[in-house]
Amino acid sequence: MRTAFLFLTSFVGFVFINPLDARAQQTVSDFLLTAFESRNTAHFDAQKTFLKPRNYRYPILEEVELRMGNDELTYEDLQYALRVRPGNPWRIRRNNAFFNATRKELELQKRLEYKENLMMRYELALQYFYNRELKAQVEESLDIISRKASIMEENLQSELFDGKDYSEAKLDQVEAIENLEETLVELNWVQAEIELIVDIGELNWADFPLIQVETIKEVAADIVTQSNHSAELDLISQQAEVARQEGRVEKADFDIGYAQIEYFPFTNRKSNYGFSVGLTLPIFNDNKPQIAERKLEELELEGELEFEQYRDSINKTREYEHLKNIIAQHRLMIKKVEVLNLEVMQNNLANSEDFDPLTILDLQEGIAKLDEVILKSRFRVLSQFVDFLYTYDALTRSPLTNYLSEDLMLIE
């Protein structure tokens, strides 16, 4: 399973995009789109550009040789010859197939890099929204605790004053301030990472509506019914094909023979020209170790592909079931909060004749804590949803969709 959004890899630190292209990108969708502009994919384009036929194709003529001979060591016995050794057509064709397979492998590697880049940005965006909402809730809790402490300080001489309750309120203030500081550190860090990627001065995602839990359930159910090609499996399969094509090139790595035109300028013959050919029979291959090595690579990759196919199937089932369980748990948590009905109780106490303001604040504090529990539960669903999308290769599927948005807007 992918790591939760609270634990991001150090990969974030060195993935950047072209600053000139990023200055205008401010929305969440634009931020996600930078996954396809990252510098860590540039070398794939450079390699694909290099893989042109002229850089890898075997020549049609491998060798041209000028010969001169003299068997009798006399001037009249002088003879000339032009020998050409043509390229092996099987090796030429198989070499072309090998590099075509290599080019496709680079495309799949780039696709997998896009997937990783996009996943990293989803995690960053999710962590930003979580810490932003958590900050607001922690500030609310701190405000409630501070009001409780203030009421107690204003009634130090009252018979109802309790020193123990007062000290607990002050300690709760300390704890709330500590929580706020930790939340601000996390929020500032993730905001700086996002701003570094999009190269803007300040984020403006205040009005971005996050996807609802009910929508997540519907989207996930739809995705599992579709055929999804795994980028990892496609890459391993193509790597096995590259190894197979390379083995075929090794098997065709032999000379097929030669063709020779001969010229006898001083002999008494009807014709001064002659022609001879030679054919090489590949009975013994001197590159058997290389052939065996390629075959071992192919077998290893085929075995890895079979294992990854099994693991991919297990992972998809596990991620989907885990998502459904977390959604069910979130619903159960909401029902339990509704059963408590603390807000109604607070209103009833506030409207009573002899209400105690400290009791009202205690209830407000309890409501704030429950809101924080629901917040963590909701973002746990969102985090698992992103892991689910990654496992099912839905993040990079066309048309590209912003799965964090409430209306599932397309990324253009």
Side-chain angles (χ1 to χ4, degrees), residues 25-28 128-129 132 191 194-195 198 200-208:
Q25 298 173 347
Q26 299 181 11
T27 68
V28 177
Y128 170 79
F129 287 121
R132 190 183 67 180
Q191 181 169 335
I194 294 173
E195 291 175 352
V198 297
I200 59 175
E202 184 178 356
L203 290 181
N204 186 20
W205 294 357
D207 299 327
F208 181 78

Side-chain angles (χ1 to χ4, degrees), residues 242-255:
V242 169
R244 188 179 75 86
Q245 293 294 346
E246 190 173 6
R248 295 180 74 237
V249 173
E250 291 286 356
K251 290 179 180 179
D253 188 15
F254 60 87
D255 294 330

Side-chain angles (χ1 to χ4, degrees), residues 175-187:
E175 183 179 354
I177 291 173
E178 181 182 1
N179 292 338
L180 179 60
E181 193 271 340
E182 292 178 356
T183 303
L184 287 174
V185 169
E186 289 290 331
L187 179 60

Side-chain angles (χ1 to χ4, degrees), residues 201-412:
E202 184 178 356
L203 290 181
N204 186 20
W205 294 357
D207 299 327
F208 181 78
L210 279 171
I211 186 171
Q212 299 298 312
V213 172
E214 291 303 320
T215 306
I216 288 176
K217 182 181 179 182
E218 296 174 2
V219 172
D222 180 61
I223 288 176
V224 296
T225 62
Q226 302 176 13
S227 176
N228 302 289
H229 295 284
S230 170
E232 290 84 356
L233 293 180
D234 288 346
L235 178 58
I236 297 173
S237 177
Q238 188 59 31
Q239 288 173 337
E241 175 64 15
V242 169
R244 188 179 75 86
Q245 293 294 346
E246 190 173 6
R248 295 180 74 237
V249 173
E250 291 286 356
K251 290 179 180 179
D253 188 15
F254 60 87
D255 294 330
I256 63 172
Y258 68 91
Q260 180 171 296
I261 299 176
E262 301 165 345
Y263 175 53
F264 309 91
F266 304 109
T267 57
N268 295 322
R269 302 170 57 181
K270 292 182 179 180
S271 174
N272 294 335
Y273 295 93
F275 180 77
S276 62
V277 295
L279 180 63
T280 301
L281 299 178
I283 300 176
F284 305 104
N285 291 330
D286 60 358
N287 60 343
K288 279 189 176 181
Q290 290 80 7
I291 295 175
E293 186 177 350
R294 300 291 87 76
K295 186 61 178 179
L296 286 175
E297 290 179 5
E298 181 184 352
L299 292 174
E300 180 182 358
L301 288 167
E302 287 176 352
E304 183 180 349
L305 176 61
E306 184 177 351
F307 172 74
E308 288 297 332
Q309 286 173 336
Y310 168 76
R311 190 167 69 171
D312 181 70
S313 176
I314 295 298
N315 286 342
K316 285 180 177 178
T317 301
R318 181 173 57 227
E319 292 294 329
Y320 184 45
E321 291 300 321
H322 189 38
L323 177 62
K324 290 192 295 184
N325 290 337
I326 290 182
I327 291 176
Q329 181 179 339
H330 177 72
R331 288 174 172 174
L332 180 61
M333 191 67 61
I334 291 178
K335 287 183 179 180
K336 289 183 176 181
V337 171
E338 291 174 349
V339 169
L340 286 176
N341 211 4
L342 293 183
E343 292 184 355
V344 173
M345 182 178 178
Q346 172 195 331
N347 293 333
N348 291 337
L349 289 175
N351 294 326
S352 63
E353 294 181 358
D354 55 345
F355 78 93
D356 181 0
L358 289 178
T359 302
I360 299 298
L361 290 175
D362 285 338
L363 287 174
Q364 289 181 356
E365 185 179 356
I367 293 172
K369 288 181 179 179
L370 288 177
D371 288 341
E372 186 173 333
V373 171
I374 296 300
L375 172 68
K376 292 180 178 179
S377 176
R378 181 164 67 93
F379 273 88
R380 192 178 296 115
V381 173
L382 286 167
S383 177
Q384 178 58 27
F385 178 52
V386 172
D387 288 343
F388 166 84
L389 294 171
Y390 178 89
T391 303
Y392 275 80
D393 270 78
L395 295 179
T396 54
R397 184 194 305 164
S398 296
L400 204 62
T401 304
N402 184 345
Y403 286 103
L404 293 181
S405 63
E406 185 177 12
D407 57 354
L408 299 173
M409 66 178 64
L410 298 181
I411 301 177
E412 300 176 348

Side-chain angles (χ1 to χ4, degrees), residues 91-146:
R91 185 172 62 166
I92 293 174
R93 185 168 60 251
R94 292 179 182 182
N95 188 66
N96 292 340
F98 165 69
F99 277 100
N100 286 335
T102 301
R103 187 183 294 108
K104 186 175 180 181
E105 179 188 356
L106 290 173
E107 293 173 356
L108 292 173
Q109 287 178 342
K110 185 177 181 180
R111 172 189 159 193
L112 183 57
E113 201 70 48
Y114 283 156
K115 178 181 173 181
E116 296 290 341
N117 290 348
L118 198 52
M119 179 64 176
M120 182 269 287
R121 283 158 175 77
Y122 267 96
E123 289 176 330
L124 276 176
L126 204 56
Q127 188 178 6
Y128 170 79
F129 287 121
Y130 170 74
N131 281 284
R132 190 183 67 180
E133 293 191 29
L134 182 61
K135 168 181 170 289
Q137 290 193 356
V138 173
E139 287 176 337
E140 181 182 357
S141 296
L142 178 59
D143 178 65
I144 294 172
I145 296 171
S146 299

